[in-house]
């Protein structure tokens, strides 16, 4: 499909989605919204996909070897900040 036909299809789907929402047919509007996102390449991966990885905080006691929770990686170029010097004026109780 050409970019022009894609754009026309997206406009038609947007109009249908607005009409469905105005008619209180939210299930149809949701399906149309998902189709628009899929055509734009913004659709989230479905649960059954092998590429789907959910990263979250592990439950207490489940951290360590053998767990199925992936480890978060810092962004490229991120550097851990230096610890503050304890002999500075910002230490509580000291001036």
């Amino acid at each position: 499909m050409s970019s022009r036909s894609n754009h026309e299809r997206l406009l038609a789907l947007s109009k249908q989605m607005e009409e469905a929402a105005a008619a209180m047919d939210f299930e149809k509007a949701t399906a149309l919204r998902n189709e628009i996102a899929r055509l734009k390449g913004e659709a989230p991966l479905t649960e059954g996909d092998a590429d789907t990885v959910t990263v979250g905080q592990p439950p207490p006691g489940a951290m360590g070897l053998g767990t199925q929770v992936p480890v978060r990686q810092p962004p490229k170029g991120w550097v851990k900040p230096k610890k503050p010097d304890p002999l500075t004026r910002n230490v509580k109780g000291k001036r």
Side-chain angles (χ1 to χ4, degrees), residues 16-33:
Q16 290 176 8
M17 181 181 70
E18 290 172 8
E19 291 171 357
M24 302 285 186
D25 188 2
F26 298 117
E27 290 178 4
K28 184 177 180 181
T30 301
L32 290 167
R33 181 200 62 204

Side-chain angles (χ1 to χ4, degrees), residues 8-91:
E8 290 171 358
R9 174 94 171 124
L10 288 172
L11 289 176
L13 287 173
S14 296
K15 185 177 178 184
Q16 290 176 8
M17 181 181 70
E18 290 172 8
E19 291 171 357
M24 302 285 186
D25 188 2
F26 298 117
E27 290 178 4
K28 184 177 180 181
T30 301
L32 290 167
R33 181 200 62 204
N34 293 343
E35 179 67 15
I36 291 169
R38 188 187 66 78
L39 288 174
K40 287 182 175 180
E42 301 169 352
L45 297 172
T46 58
E47 280 295 317
D49 288 347
D51 294 337
T52 303
V53 176
T54 54
V55 177
Q57 198 69 12
M63 188 96 172
L65 295 175
T67 62
Q68 301 300 319
V69 180
V71 178
R72 294 183 187 179
Q73 297 295 325
K76 279 189 174 179
W78 183 79
V79 179
K80 187 175 180 178
K82 289 183 177 180
K83 291 178 98 177
D85 185 12
L87 300 175
T88 61
R89 299 184 77 176
N90 293 333
V91 177

